[in-house]
Amino acid sequence: MKKIKSLLLVAIMAFFGATSAVAGNYMNMEPLKLQTPEMKPELVAIPNRDYRPELELRNSSTRVSDVNKYRMTWNRTNEGVKPYKVMDDLTFVGVPLFFAGLAVKGDKAMFRVNNKDGKKNTQLLTDFKTGIDDYTQFFGPVMTVGLKLGGYEGRSDWGRLLASAGMSYAIMAGFVNGIKYTAKEMRPDGSSANSWPSGHTATSFVGATILHKEYGLTRSPWFSIAGYGVATATGIMRVLNNRHWISDVMSGAGIGIMSTELGYALGDILFKGNGLLRNDLISDSENPSFFAISMGLGLGTKNIGFGIEDVVNPERYKASDLGYDDEEAIDDEEGPNIHFRPATVVDVEGAYFFNKYIGIGGRARVRAMSAKSFGQYTELAAEDQAYGWYDVVGGLYSNKDEFYKKAVEGGSPIEDLGGVVESDHLTEFSASVGLYLNLPLSNRFSLGTKFLIGRSFTQELDIDGYASGYVKDVNYRLVLQDGNLITDESYLSYPFNTSAGDKYSSKWDYLTLGSESSTTWGTGISLTYRYKSNFAWRLFVDYDYSKKNFTMKYDPYHYLKDGLTENAFNMVQFVSDYSNYLDPIEFRKTKKMNYYTIGMSFMINI
């Protein structure tokens, strides 16, 4: 216990000794002096910084982010956004599209069989009609403005956006209207001579390219796919509505893209670095995996003809009655033959690459070939009405010339006869999968090819016939002489009074052409230009082969089932040389189809 007390005493004495020594050191120090620094006035640039949401005052009654989000700024420039040079966004892809349309503009042989509603010279008239294309042409600008009003920033502030878009539409309107009223191309429906190029398609592609530049390049490539997908659909609907030819649509698409690139290039010159909010997206990946939409021109097999050997149950017919010179098989050009224009081709395609060179993928394709003419099977003009009646019924009379004369004067049961094209397109839908190969040529260019196998399905081509008039009867007596059945002219009469009988109306499948599903093989070669790190344009030439089983049905005299009394119709079936033609004539043929497609794709790298 004594030892512990001694140690505590020593420790206390040591602590006080050290404290005294430190205090003595501070007693000899000089007093502190405060020095005031010299102040010089100077102008300093304050940088324009973006709002940082992480510094927001969460409990404030007025949120700074909301004020910034909805304010209408017109020339605001965000820090670090790179100004565009004039040539940065000029791809010139609209030029080949325009000239592709120009190249096929002269192929305008059409129908002249539709005389519905008094339009006897109407060149093409189908029952397909939709007004959706009147609205889808504005998809691009509506999306762009809607996103911007919602506070979702794109490439440009309001002032620069409106100026660039306004110049784009002005350039497009100048090109389209200047060409329309100079070329004076007749529309497919014969309504006006201002068909080429398509204004709806050009408007739609201007909007799609604006959406691409504002949000596709800066936010997500899928904005670009959506814009160009709707624009392509707009162009196809213009063709299906019989308002435009495929040449009009292709040229309109080219004008729309090129006008927007020029409009934005002028905006880059005028605004320089002002009014830019976001840089383009940058992708470091060199993998060529892609998703693409394409539009092209289909060439290759352009006619489907049938010979006497293709008739089902040929023993029922005479070759001369079917339009053949003799009983032998003949060349397609001499028989029933349907010619087609260059096809409209639309694709959706994608591939995943394991490395720079090899990948697997697939393609969905719609190929629509519109017919030029159905040859002898579309001759439904008014002067031919009596011929059909004469062939079937007039053959019962010994004095055929007298019967024909009376029939032309109004004795036929036909007062109105014509054809309505329900579908003038032989449309093929195909889905294929296979191997994709890529060969890089530089940082921007590459060559590609593919080897595909798939299945195709066809929507048939169809003309409906229509006829109306008064039901006719035939009074007759059959005479058996020396074992032969003959007719006696003195006992055979026909009421040539036009108003005799009941009124009838008939509509039927006059001519149909279709094919069974088949296997399709495809390959092709392409040149890809990667003008941004994750966007590319591709020129391609595809080859597709398939073996199809075609069926054509031709039913020219179906109206007699409604235009004759039951007794008269039975008599015609029993006596007339044309009784076999009261049922549809059917042709079947297997044909090798070789298709070539020249087109352009808009691609995003994924």
Side-chain angles (χ1 to χ4, degrees):
M1 194 67 178
K2 290 182 179 181
K3 284 185 177 182
I4 294 174
K5 290 181 179 180
S6 301
L7 290 173
L8 288 172
L9 182 61
V10 171
I12 293 170
M13 292 176 65
F15 172 76
F16 280 106
T19 303
S20 301
V22 173
N25 292 336
Y26 282 99
M27 291 178 64
N28 299 323
M29 290 182 61
E30 293 291 331
L32 293 175
K33 296 181 180 180
L34 181 62
Q35 294 183 356
T36 304
E38 184 179 357
M39 304 292 289
K40 295 181 179 181
E42 184 178 354
L43 294 176
V44 180
I46 300 176
N48 180 18
R49 299 185 181 278
D50 285 340
Y51 167 70
R52 294 174 61 187
E54 66 270 17
L55 300 180
E56 181 183 340
L57 297 177
R58 301 295 178 183
N59 296 325
S60 61
S61 59
T62 303
R63 294 168 59 92
V64 180
S65 61
D66 290 341
V67 174
N68 189 61
K69 180 178 180 180
Y70 293 109
R71 67 178 180 177
M72 299 288 286
T73 57
W74 293 93
N75 204 26
R76 179 164 55 95
T77 304
N78 286 341
E79 183 183 12
V81 179
K82 173 187 173 184
Y84 287 87
K85 297 179 181 178
V86 176
M87 298 299 293
D88 280 354
D89 283 346
L90 281 174
T91 64
F92 300 100
V93 296
V95 176
L97 269 176
F98 174 82
F99 282 103
L102 179 62
V104 298
K105 189 175 75 69
D107 195 1
K108 292 290 189 301
M110 317 168 200
F111 295 114
R112 293 189 180 276
V113 300
N114 297 304
N115 52 16
K116 195 173 183 180
D117 299 327
K119 296 181 179 180
K120 294 185 178 181
N121 292 323
T122 296
Q123 297 167 322
L124 179 59
L125 178 64
T126 75
D127 283 351
F128 179 90
K129 181 64 179 177
T130 178
I132 299 175
D133 48 351
D134 291 331
Y135 303 99
T136 54
Q137 63 176 319
F138 302 115
F139 175 80
V142 169
M143 279 291 295
T144 302
V145 173
L147 289 167
K148 196 155 186 63
L149 286 175
Y152 196 62
E153 287 186 346
R155 177 189 196 261
S156 310
D157 200 12
W158 280 107
R160 185 168 182 145
L161 166 63
L162 295 177
S164 299
M167 289 186 288
S168 300
Y169 280 107
I171 294 170
M172 178 274 295
F175 273 121
V176 168
N177 290 297
I179 297 173
K180 268 182 179 290
Y181 297 103
T182 301
K184 297 182 179 180
E185 187 76 22
M186 183 62 68
R187 292 182 183 272
D189 60 6
S191 61
S192 59
N194 60 345
S195 186
W196 181 73
S198 169
H200 277 65
T201 307
T203 301
S204 186
F205 272 87
V206 168
T209 309
I210 291 173
L211 181 62
H212 163 64
K213 288 181 176 294
E214 291 295 330
Y215 289 98
L217 289 174
T218 63
R219 286 291 192 172
S220 171
W222 295 105
F223 286 114
S224 303
I225 289 293
Y228 283 117
V230 173
T232 301
T234 301
I236 299 305
M237 283 188 285
R238 297 304 287 169
V239 175
L240 295 178
N241 273 336
N242 307 305
R243 297 292 290 164
H244 285 289
W245 308 101
I246 180 60
S247 57
D248 307 337
V249 167
M250 296 186 73
S251 293
I255 289 175
I257 295 172
M258 196 63 199
S259 297
T260 313
E261 291 189 344
L262 290 174
Y264 269 74
L266 290 175
D268 294 337
I269 294 173
L270 295 174
F271 287 88
K272 297 182 171 57
N274 299 320
L276 293 174
L277 304 180
R278 295 185 65 87
N279 285 317
D280 288 349
L281 296 171
I282 302 297
S283 173
D284 297 330
S285 174
E286 297 182 356
N287 190 295
S289 298
F290 70 89
F291 178 87
I293 55 173
S294 310
M295 184 167 67
L297 183 69
L299 305 173
T301 304
K302 294 178 64 177
N303 71 290
I304 300 173
F306 298 88
I308 187 66
E309 75 278 7
D310 302 318
V311 178
V312 178
N313 300 323
E315 65 277 1
R316 298 180 58 190
Y317 311 100
K318 295 179 181 179
S320 59
D321 295 336
L322 293 174
Y324 303 104
D325 295 333
D326 52 47
E327 299 290 343
E328 301 297 326
I330 61 172
D331 184 78
D332 286 345
E333 292 295 331
E334 300 177 10
N337 195 7
I338 299 178
H339 293 270
F340 294 91
R341 301 184 190 88
T344 305
V345 183
V346 179
D347 296 343
V348 176
E349 191 172 13
Y352 173 78
F353 278 76
F354 305 105
N355 50 46
K356 292 182 181 180
Y357 309 103
I358 301 175
I360 56 173
R363 180 190 71 193
R365 168 166 285 178
V366 179
R367 181 187 187 90
M369 297 191 301
S370 60
K372 288 183 181 180
S373 170
F374 296 137
Q376 69 194 76
Y377 295 94
T378 56
E379 296 301 329
L380 292 177
E383 64 184 66
D384 298 310
Q385 295 176 10
Y387 279 108
W389 176 241
Y390 168 69
D391 289 338
V392 176
V393 179
L396 301 176
Y397 289 77
S398 58
N399 191 343
K400 297 180 180 179
D401 292 337
E402 181 181 352
F403 173 85
Y404 172 66
K405 179 180 178 181
K406 292 181 179 180
V408 171
E409 292 174 352
S412 167
I414 308 165
E415 281 197 337
D416 188 20
L417 176 68
V420 176
V421 182
E422 296 290 339
S423 172
D424 70 312
H425 290 73
L426 193 65
T427 304
E428 180 184 81
F429 304 88
S430 64
S432 306
V433 296
L435 180 68
Y436 284 74
L437 302 176
N438 181 68
L439 177 62
L441 301 177
S442 67
N443 292 334
R444 292 186 178 270
F445 289 93
S446 62
L447 288 175
T449 188
K450 56 196 170 190
F451 301 94
L452 305 176
I453 181 173
R455 199 74 178 164
S456 68
F457 308 87
T458 303
Q459 177 183 340
E460 69 180 12
L461 177 150
D462 177 28
I463 294 181
D464 281 356
Y466 65 89
S468 61
Y470 291 91
V471 178
K472 299 296 183 179
D473 193 8
V474 175
N475 300 316
Y476 62 93
R477 182 175 71 175
L478 301 180
V479 178
L480 188 65
Q481 180 178 341
D482 298 329
N484 296 318
L485 183 66
I486 63 172
T487 60
D488 189 337
E489 179 70 20
S490 61
Y491 293 100
L492 189 62
S493 63
Y494 175 78
F496 288 104
N497 183 356
T498 304
S499 61
D502 298 328
K503 185 76 175 179
Y504 80 92
S505 178
S506 182
K507 184 177 181 180
W508 72 99
D509 289 334
Y510 173 74
L511 184 143
T512 60
L513 174 67
S515 72
E516 300 174 358
S517 61
S518 61
T519 300
T520 180
W521 305 83
T523 185
I525 187 170
S526 62
L527 175 65
T528 300
Y529 168 55
R530 194 170 181 174
Y531 82 105
K532 297 286 184 180
S533 62
N534 51 356
F535 291 94
W537 291 97
R538 180 182 64 183
L539 290 170
F540 67 89
V541 179
D542 284 353
Y543 169 74
D544 294 282
Y545 168 82
S546 62
K547 198 175 194 180
K548 293 185 176 294
N549 297 318
F550 287 97
T551 299
M552 185 176 81
K553 291 183 179 180
Y554 170 50
D555 190 8
Y557 300 126
H558 182 91
Y559 63 87
L560 291 179
K561 296 178 182 179
D562 299 315
L564 292 176
T565 63
E566 182 177 356
N567 288 336
F569 185 78
N570 291 335
M571 185 273 292
V572 171
Q573 283 186 309
F574 185 62
V575 178
S576 175
D577 293 336
Y578 286 83
S579 60
N580 291 330
Y581 300 93
L582 298 179
D583 295 320
I585 306 168
E586 186 172 343
F587 299 83
R588 292 179 184 171
K589 180 174 186 173
T590 300
K591 186 175 179 64
K592 297 177 181 179
M593 307 297 288
N594 298 280
Y595 294 141
Y596 299 90
T597 304
I598 302 172
M600 179 172 289
S601 303
F602 175 76
M603 305 169 60
I604 63 171
N605 294 104
I606 54 178

